[in-house]
Amino acid sequence: MDNIEHLKRYGEEMDSFLDIQFEKGVRYNSPAEAYEDFKNYYDKRLKVAGIAGKQVVVDRDSFT
């Protein structure tokens, strides 16, 4: 299963990303700035998965 990139729902991915950033001491001046940073991260993650030939799958267990 190394050829699959598992993702949670978009909002859950963003929450996880921002939690990690907060733990690293990263602070944002606005919600827009935080969203832009996450969007860049998420887009890079998708691009890298695509370059690696991975199939991107949203884990259905994350849907409630």
Side-chain angles (χ1 to χ4, degrees), residues 2-57:
D2 289 341
N3 206 26
I4 297 176
E5 178 76 15
H6 290 275
L7 298 174
K8 300 175 205 155
R9 291 187 304 176
Y10 194 79
E12 290 173 334
E13 287 285 342
M14 185 171 177
D15 288 343
S16 295
F17 172 80
L18 292 176
D19 287 345
I20 291 167
Q21 294 299 86
F22 184 77
E23 289 174 10
K24 289 179 180 178
V26 176
R27 300 296 182 264
Y28 298 101
N29 294 319
S30 69
E33 183 182 22
Y35 174 75
E36 192 62 34
D37 194 24
F38 168 71
K39 184 180 174 302
N40 289 333
Y41 158 81
Y42 194 82
D43 289 348
K44 284 179 188 175
R45 189 169 169 190
L46 292 177
K47 183 177 181 179
V48 167
I51 290 170
K54 293 186 177 186
Q55 177 183 2
V56 176
V57 175

